[in-house]
Amino acid sequence: MALNRRHLLAAAAASAVPLIHGGAKAAESHDVIIIGAGLSGLNAAMLLKEQGLRPIVLEAASEVGGRVKTVQTVEGGIDVGASQIGRGYARAIDLCQRLGLKLVTEDRDLLTFGAHYKDTWIDNKTWSQSPLNQCVGEEREITPLMMGSRLVSKYNPLVELDDWLNPRFAQYDISLRQLLQARGHSPQAIELAALSTPGISIDGTSVLRMWQEEVRGGLERKLGDGGAPRKDHPFGEGNDHKEIGGLAAISNIEGGCQRLPLAMAAHLGDAVRLNKAVARIEMTDRSARVTCEDGQVFNARFVVSAVPFTRLRKISIEAKPNPLVTQAITQMPYANTARMYLTVEPFWLDDGLPPSFSTDGPMGMFWAIDNHKGTGAHRAMIVMVGPAATAISARGPEAVAPYLFEELARLRPASRGRVRLNTYKDWALDPLQLGCGFSLAPGQVNAFARDMLTPWQVMHFAGEHTRRIEFGMESALESGERVALEIISRA
Ligand SMILES: Cc1cc2nc3c(=O)[nH]c(=O)nc-3n(C[C@H](O)[C@H](O)[C@H](O)COP(=O)(O)OP(=O)(O)OC[C@H]3O[C@@H](n4cnc5c(N)ncnc54)[C@H](O)[C@@H]3O)c2cc1C
């Protein structure tokens, strides 16, 4: 019997397949739907596929990688997201080897740091004697830029990588300000810590979250020369380039970090679909149905959320109520960083001030990158985190370059006309990210962080925000591996 128009309409209604651009598109069926083609989603897909399952990865953007992004500029490729791979990144290093990507020693040594504080230039070497230094006791020796991280580190009692989740340390699920006040720190030390604190702010981030990062960073140091963090060499000043087992302390991927997710996606072939923004997830205990913004429907036995919670909270989820996971999805805060990538003439040779510096103003930090020649063009970055990043996001991206160039010229008149913009990225304004990385507010480790990974019916949770013992890209890969194992054991 030939199909007529009435049959077609009845079939479409029966399967509730949405009509797209005037035509019906059949729902696709797979074993596992993975939402998001960042490192976590791609790693989960590769491992599931290796085990004989049929995953499909739905990615909202027109390219894979998420927070691993290489932007092409007149100065060549610039990694505006992740770039640094440590010696302890077992999964990332293994993937690079398997996918034929070359790791090269990072060439991003920062030139000497100073600080601009209360409208005065501070020489880090003489800060302890400065009349502006109102700190007391040992605090006086800590330079303004390092106050936050040094005090976070000073009180860290954690030893094991997962101690941050151990209920033994539940009392530390407080803010850094609360900790520093309880330990009797001076108002100025607390003010300086607020300017340089890792995370969202001195009040907005749980100390346990900060210590997780700190303990994992300590492992990288042990894999190197075993030394303590270098006191006044933050962010790469005086990097350790010595190779151990063929790897420097920090490596980059030759040609840009995005080559890693691109190679993973190439390996997965047509299991990765671009421009597929997921809008809705419907679940039972046995299956999931996922609908994209363009109306296309995918069915599967399992679904993996590999998107940041800033994005998952915008997806409509129909499922059995799950108050703890819903609290995590809707309330987990995200930190931000906004970074401006520049080419500069070495204006510090003219004004005699430190090439790199931190400020208590809107610029946050200026990182001057060593070109190993001294003279001629240098790469540089303006790096805003915490409250400085929040404030700059409010200005909108168009206004930022003139505003920051003027601020730089106000602090360093010698820079005027000698700075060129290569690219700018504000992660809070990226609609597919809405932040640069997960955070946990004081009280949230105890409230939900320990238990939020329990699958919600057939949905499993991946992404750097679901880390247990890793950080950065390695935590995204770790989470992809975990969900793959969870699903394989259920399937
Ligand atoms: C500025 C910056 C610098 C960093 N530097 C380093 C570093 O040097 N070293 C390091 O190890 N780590 C670094 N990181 C951290 C690292 O980038 C992340 O931990 C990691 O890339 C996160 O991967 P993910 O898979 O969890 O998430 P993501 O990479 O965010 O992937 C999520 C994906 O989901 C997609 N998506 C969102 N919404 C939807 C939707 N509705 N439907 C379908 N898809 C959707 C997004 O487009 C994205 O591709 C940095 C991060 C930033 C922002």
Side-chain angles (χ1 to χ4, degrees), residues 35-41 58-61 65-68 80-84 89 276-278 306-308 311 315 337 339 427 432-433 436 463-464 472-473 476:
I35 308 172
L39 291 181
S40 61
L58 303 177
E59 167 56 50
R67 278 168 276 177
V68 181
V80 297
S83 61
Q84 300 188 311
Y89 280 41
K276 290 285 170 207
V278 169
V307 295
R311 289 288 307 172
I315 296 175
T337 183
R339 298 180 178 186
W427 285 91
L432 296 179
Q433 295 291 343
C436 75
E464 58 92 30
M473 291 185 271

Side-chain angles (χ1 to χ4, degrees), residues 120-195:
T120 307
W121 282 101
I122 306 287
D123 178 352
N124 282 344
K125 292 193 190 71
T126 55
W127 164 245
S128 60
Q129 285 96 53
S130 164
L132 276 178
N133 187 338
Q134 302 292 307
C135 295
V136 293
E138 286 178 5
E139 297 168 346
R140 295 186 59 80
E141 304 297 323
I142 307 175
T143 57
L145 177 62
M146 298 304 286
M147 190 64 81
S149 53
R150 287 282 299 281
L151 294 184
V152 167
S153 168
K154 181 177 165 78
Y155 298 111
N156 188 347
L158 311 185
V159 178
E160 302 297 333
L161 292 172
D162 58 357
D163 272 351
W164 68 291
L165 293 165
N166 189 327
R168 211 152 51 90
F169 299 104
Q171 59 180 306
Y172 294 112
D173 195 10
I174 55 174
S175 72
L176 182 60
R177 188 190 301 279
Q178 287 168 320
L179 178 76
L180 299 185
Q181 282 172 341
R183 302 294 165 121
H185 279 283
S186 69
Q188 191 184 38
I190 294 176
E191 180 202 324
L192 288 171
L195 286 173

Side-chain angles (χ1 to χ4, degrees), residues 27 67 119 125 210 230 247 251 270 307 310 324 326 329 335:
R67 278 168 276 177
D119 271 330
K125 292 193 190 71
M210 296 178 184
R230 299 185 64 179
L247 282 176
S251 300
D270 64 3
V307 295
T310 46
L324 186 131
T326 305
I329 295 170

Side-chain angles (χ1 to χ4, degrees), residues 199-200 204-206 209 332-335 437-441 444 448 464:
I200 291 181
T205 307
S206 168
R209 164 72 183 94
M332 180 184 278
Y334 271 67
F438 92 109
S439 187
L440 287 163
Q444 291 188 337
F448 57 72
E464 58 92 30

Side-chain angles (χ1 to χ4, degrees), residues 28-349:
E28 285 187 27
S29 288
H30 300 268
D31 292 326
V32 186
I33 298 164
I34 297 166
I35 308 172
L39 291 181
S40 61
L42 292 169
N43 198 33
M46 281 177 69
L47 293 167
L48 289 167
K49 200 172 162 192
E50 277 165 24
Q51 294 303 312
L53 276 86
R54 291 173 308 121
I56 182 101
V57 186
L58 303 177
E59 167 56 50
S62 56
E63 58 178 4
V64 299
R67 278 168 276 177
V68 181
K69 187 170 176 63
T70 310
V71 174
Q72 296 308 323
T73 73
V74 283
E75 295 287 332
I78 294 181
D79 284 322
V80 297
S83 61
Q84 300 188 311
I85 294 178
R87 285 194 191 102
Y89 280 41
R91 297 170 185 85
I93 294 167
D94 175 59
L95 273 168
C96 287
Q97 281 171 353
R98 280 163 53 204
L99 297 169
L101 301 174
K102 188 170 171 205
L103 289 171
V104 291
T105 301
E106 180 171 74
D107 179 15
R108 203 198 67 183
D109 295 339
L110 302 188
L111 295 168
T112 319
F113 263 89
H116 189 261
Y117 177 59
K118 293 198 187 300
D119 271 330
T120 307
W121 282 101
I122 306 287
D123 178 352
N124 282 344
K125 292 193 190 71
T126 55
W127 164 245
S128 60
Q129 285 96 53
S130 164
L132 276 178
N133 187 338
Q134 302 292 307
C135 295
V136 293
E138 286 178 5
E139 297 168 346
R140 295 186 59 80
E141 304 297 323
I142 307 175
T143 57
L145 177 62
M146 298 304 286
M147 190 64 81
S149 53
R150 287 282 299 281
L151 294 184
V152 167
S153 168
K154 181 177 165 78
Y155 298 111
N156 188 347
L158 311 185
V159 178
E160 302 297 333
L161 292 172
D162 58 357
D163 272 351
W164 68 291
L165 293 165
N166 189 327
R168 211 152 51 90
F169 299 104
Q171 59 180 306
Y172 294 112
D173 195 10
I174 55 174
S175 72
L176 182 60
R177 188 190 301 279
Q178 287 168 320
L179 178 76
L180 299 185
Q181 282 172 341
R183 302 294 165 121
H185 279 283
S186 69
Q188 191 184 38
I190 294 176
E191 180 202 324
L192 288 171
L195 286 173
S196 57
T197 185
I200 291 181
S201 70
I202 193 169
D203 300 302
T205 307
S206 168
V207 174
L208 287 174
R209 164 72 183 94
M210 296 178 184
W211 285 341
Q212 188 272 327
E213 201 93 12
E214 236 253 322
V215 175
R216 181 56 183 78
L219 174 66
E220 289 296 328
R221 288 194 295 279
K222 281 187 199 137
L223 293 170
D225 57 12
R230 299 185 64 179
K231 277 190 194 160
D232 289 319
H233 289 73
F235 310 113
E237 188 191 350
N239 265 341
D240 167 15
H241 289 234
K242 195 173 58 220
E243 287 190 11
I244 299 178
L247 282 176
I250 299 173
S251 300
N252 298 150
I253 294 176
E254 193 176 54
C257 201
Q258 202 174 351
R259 290 188 66 202
L260 175 58
L262 285 168
M264 293 167 84
H267 186 81
L268 286 162
D270 64 3
V272 179
R273 304 284 174 82
L274 302 177
N275 303 305
K276 290 285 170 207
V278 169
R280 184 184 174 92
I281 304 167
E282 294 155 89
M283 281 188 290
T284 68
D285 288 335
R286 304 176 62 82
S287 64
R289 174 186 163 91
V290 167
T291 310
C292 295
E293 278 175 12
D294 64 6
Q296 191 167 357
V297 174
F298 296 83
N299 294 317
R301 172 80 180 86
F302 298 102
V303 61
V304 172
S305 162
V307 295
F309 278 174
T310 46
R311 289 288 307 172
L312 187 58
R313 67 183 64 138
K314 294 186 180 300
I315 296 175
S316 137
I317 302 176
E318 280 184 31
K320 262 190 205 151
N322 186 336
L324 186 131
V325 172
T326 305
Q327 186 189 4
I329 295 170
T330 55
Q331 294 178 15
M332 180 184 278
Y334 271 67
N336 188 30
T337 183
R339 298 180 178 186
M340 188 164 275
Y341 300 81
L342 308 165
T343 300
V344 300
E345 293 302 318
F347 54 82
W348 47 87
L349 297 179

